[in-house]
Amino acid sequence: MAASAYASPMEKTWYCLHRMLCAMVLLFLIAPIFVVVPLSFNSVPFFTYPLPRLSLRWYQDFFLTVRWQGALYNSIFVAVSVTLLSTVLGTLAALGLSRPKFPWRTAVMTVLISPIIVPIVITAVGMYFFYADVGLLNSYAGLVLAHTTLATPFVVITVLATLTGFDHSLTRAAAGLGATPVTAFLKVTLPLILPGMISGSLFAFLTSFDEVVVTLFVAGAEQRTLPKVMFSGIREEISPTIIAAATILTLFSIVVLTTIELLRWRSERLRGIRNT
C-alpha cells in the first residue's frame, strides 16, 4: 500500500524507513536458508563460492541412491500416517472446544497445545521412557504416535480459528429440518471448516516430515527418515547431497505454505471476512 498523498514529509520518511526495516528483517530471516541453494548445484564436493561449474550430480545422488530413497519413502509414509491421524483427532478436539458451554476450555486447550510449548528435548525424553515401557520404541507405530502428538496442536489451532464466528444456528436449523447430526456435520459444518482442516493437515505433514529430535530418540535403525539421515550425514560426512535434500525440502515447504495461505484466504472469503 502506497503512502497517502496527503502525508507530511515526516510521515513519508517514516513510511519508507518502515518498509526498509521490514525488508532487512525479512532478508535476515531467509538469507541463511537460500544461501545454501546455489551450493547444491556445485560440481565439486566442497562448500565453496564461487562455484567452479554447475552440476546436477548431487540431485542424481539423492534421487538414485537407495539410502536416500529409503529415507524419503519412510518420511512420506510416516508423514501421511501422521497427517491422517492428527487431522481426525485435531478436528474432533476443535469441534468440542468450539461449543459454547464446553467446561474448562482454557485448561484443556493449554494441555492440547503443550507439545509445541514444552522444549522438544524434554518431550522427546518423556516419549522415550514412556514408549520404552509400553514397547513402542523402535517401531513405526511409536514414531507415528510421537509425531502425531507434535502435529495435532497445529490442527486444533487452525480448525479452531476457522470455527471462530461460526454460526451454530445453522446446525440447529439443519436439525430442525430433520437432518441427523452426521448429516448436519457433513452438509453444513464440514464445508465451512474444510479449508482450516486442509491447512492444519498441511502443517501436520510438515511437522512430521521435518521432525528430527523426537525421531532420534524414538525411531530405530529401520525407521530412518530423511531429516534423520541428513543429521547423521552432517555428523559423519559433509556431503553436498545433504544440501540438495535441504533445497528440495525448502521448495516443498514454500509450496505447502503458499497453499496454506490460499486456503486461509478462501476460508475468510467463505466466512464473509474478506470480500474479494
Side-chain angles (χ1 to χ4, degrees), residues 74-210:
N74 286 337
S75 290
I76 294 175
F77 171 74
V78 173
V80 170
S81 302
V82 169
T83 300
L84 295 176
L85 190 57
S86 61
T87 301
V88 173
L89 295 177
T91 301
L92 292 175
L95 289 172
L97 289 170
S98 67
R99 292 186 174 277
K101 296 183 180 179
F102 188 89
W104 305 99
R105 178 186 290 108
T106 303
V108 174
M109 186 67 184
T110 303
V111 173
L112 286 176
I113 66 173
S114 60
I116 60 176
I117 299 174
V118 177
I120 189 66
V121 174
I122 296 177
T123 303
V125 172
M127 288 181 178
Y128 174 80
F129 286 109
F130 177 72
Y131 288 176
D133 290 338
V134 299
L136 288 175
L137 212 58
N138 302 332
S139 67
Y140 281 104
L143 185 59
V144 170
L145 290 176
H147 283 192
T148 301
T149 304
L150 302 176
T152 301
F154 293 99
V155 181
V156 173
I157 292 173
T158 52
V159 176
L160 203 58
T162 307
L163 287 169
T164 302
F166 178 74
D167 189 1
H168 290 276
S169 63
L170 295 175
T171 56
R172 289 195 293 269
L177 294 173
T180 62
V182 175
T183 303
F185 173 77
L186 294 177
K187 299 292 184 181
V188 178
T189 306
L190 184 59
L192 293 175
I193 68 172
L194 189 59
M197 288 178 59
I198 297 175
S199 298
S201 65
L202 292 175
F203 274 120
F205 185 89
L206 287 181
T207 300
S208 174
F209 201 73
D210 298 337

Side-chain angles (χ1 to χ4, degrees), residues 15 27 45 73 96 115 121 132-133 172 190 195 220 253 256 259 267 274:
Y15 175 84
L27 182 65
Y73 170 77
V121 174
D133 290 338
R172 289 195 293 269
L190 184 59
S253 299
V256 172
T259 305
S267 175
R274 187 188 294 269

Side-chain angles (χ1 to χ4, degrees), residues 67-68 71-72 74-75 138-139 143 147 208-236 242 249:
R67 177 193 179 202
W68 288 99
L72 181 61
N74 286 337
S75 290
N138 302 332
S139 67
L143 185 59
H147 283 192
S208 174
F209 201 73
D210 298 337
E211 211 290 322
V212 64
V213 178
V214 171
T215 304
L216 291 174
F217 279 84
V218 175
E222 296 181 356
Q223 297 84 42
R224 290 173 63 88
T225 61
L226 193 56
K228 186 178 179 181
V229 172
M230 294 172 65
F231 183 80
S232 301
I234 292 174
R235 291 193 309 169
E236 298 168 358
I242 299 175
L249 292 179

